Amino acid sequence: MSIKENIENIKKRIKEAAERSGRNEEDIVLIGVTKTVDTDIMKEAIKFGIDNIGENRVQEMKKKYEDISENLNWHMIGHLQSNKVKYIIDKVSLIHSLDRMSLAKELEKRAEQHNITVNSLIQVNIAEEESKFGLKGEEVIPFIENILKFERINIKGLMTIAPFDENPENVRYVFRQLKGLAKDIEAKGYSKIEMKYLSMGMTNDFEVAIEEGSNMVRIGTGIFGKRTY
Ligand SMILES: *Cc1c(COP(=O)(O)O)cnc(C)c1O
């Protein structure tokens, strides 16, 4: 399968899943996850309409950002070390992995230096997997209350990574719980905190995630094929 066909296939499945949940394909942001993918292959995907790019490593994102001149939205979807914030703060459209106070402090500091604001999602480890980053569900509201004071951080929603399961039905509860948490946060009515995006769903489980309310899916393998590390 070519990149073009892969993208068409994913888009068709996004559309169908969106319709099953009473929405349109335009309501769902498709992020092409390009970690380990060469820039010439990325350019192929960009040509076929991918304009949201997800990377999980700072150095790789920075290099590709400099190599690719197209106007794209860059998403930092991986764990973000505080000492690397300075390399991407002025490049990234959305950080998906805000999960601790020390990172929030660094984001605020660097955003202030550039006189910008930074858009971020809070990463939640719904399934409480040891191997994954993210706050526990019950930690999210206290965390939000602690970062309300940061004027340069715009919280735009939540992100989660579901455990891998051959049958994505088995992780439906993860997506449902993240959506429930977003509703609880909305009900608090914090002024500056918006639950605009739910970043959930990857190649293996994005249809179930969309059915449960995702409006931002992160697709790597489904577009670019299996990664060879
Ligand atoms: C790699 C990665 C993805 C994409 O995974 P695929 O299964 O290849 O679609 C999505 N989200 C995060 C956080 C990732 O690290």
Side-chain angles (χ1 to χ4, degrees), residues 43-62:
K43 284 179 184 165
E44 175 98 2
I46 293 163
K47 193 168 79 190
F48 296 117
I50 297 296
D51 53 6
N52 283 276
I53 298 290
E55 286 284 344
N56 70 337
R57 296 223 167 89
V58 166
Q59 297 303 343
E60 192 174 342
M61 175 185 283
K62 182 173 177 287

Side-chain angles (χ1 to χ4, degrees), residues 1-51:
M1 287 270 268
S2 67
I3 300 260
K4 177 169 183 273
E5 285 169 320
N6 289 346
I7 293 171
E8 282 168 357
N9 172 268
I10 296 283
K11 283 193 172 165
K12 177 169 168 282
R13 289 165 62 194
I14 288 175
K15 180 175 192 282
E16 288 164 359
E19 283 167 1
R20 286 197 293 278
S21 68
R23 291 175 298 161
N24 303 313
E25 60 187 315
E26 301 83 53
D27 298 328
I28 318 289
V29 179
L30 167 58
I31 299 176
V33 175
T34 54
K35 59 191 186 200
T36 77
V37 175
D38 289 342
T39 48
D40 41 330
I41 298 181
M42 287 174 66
K43 284 179 184 165
E44 175 98 2
I46 293 163
K47 193 168 79 190
F48 296 117
I50 297 296
D51 53 6

Side-chain angles (χ1 to χ4, degrees), residues 33 35 56 77-78 159 161 201-204 218-222 227 229:
V33 175
K35 59 191 186 200
N56 70 337
I77 62 173
M159 178 271 223
I161 306 172
M202 312 182 6
T203 299
N204 185 57
R218 310 179 306 265
I219 309 291
T221 320
R227 282 178 293 274
Y229 286 99

Side-chain angles (χ1 to χ4, degrees), residues 89-90 108-118 152:
I89 187 85
D90 57 336
E108 176 79 3
K109 177 179 142 191
R110 297 292 174 183
E112 205 170 306
Q113 286 174 353
H114 287 270
N115 196 22
I116 56 175
T117 58
V118 60
R152 301 210 171 241

Side-chain angles (χ1 to χ4, degrees), residues 187-202:
K188 294 270 184 185
Y190 302 115
S191 55
K192 258 174 38 74
I193 308 286
E194 214 183 346
M195 288 293 114
K196 183 173 180 190
Y197 296 116
L198 280 184
S199 169
M200 53 185 196
M202 312 182 6

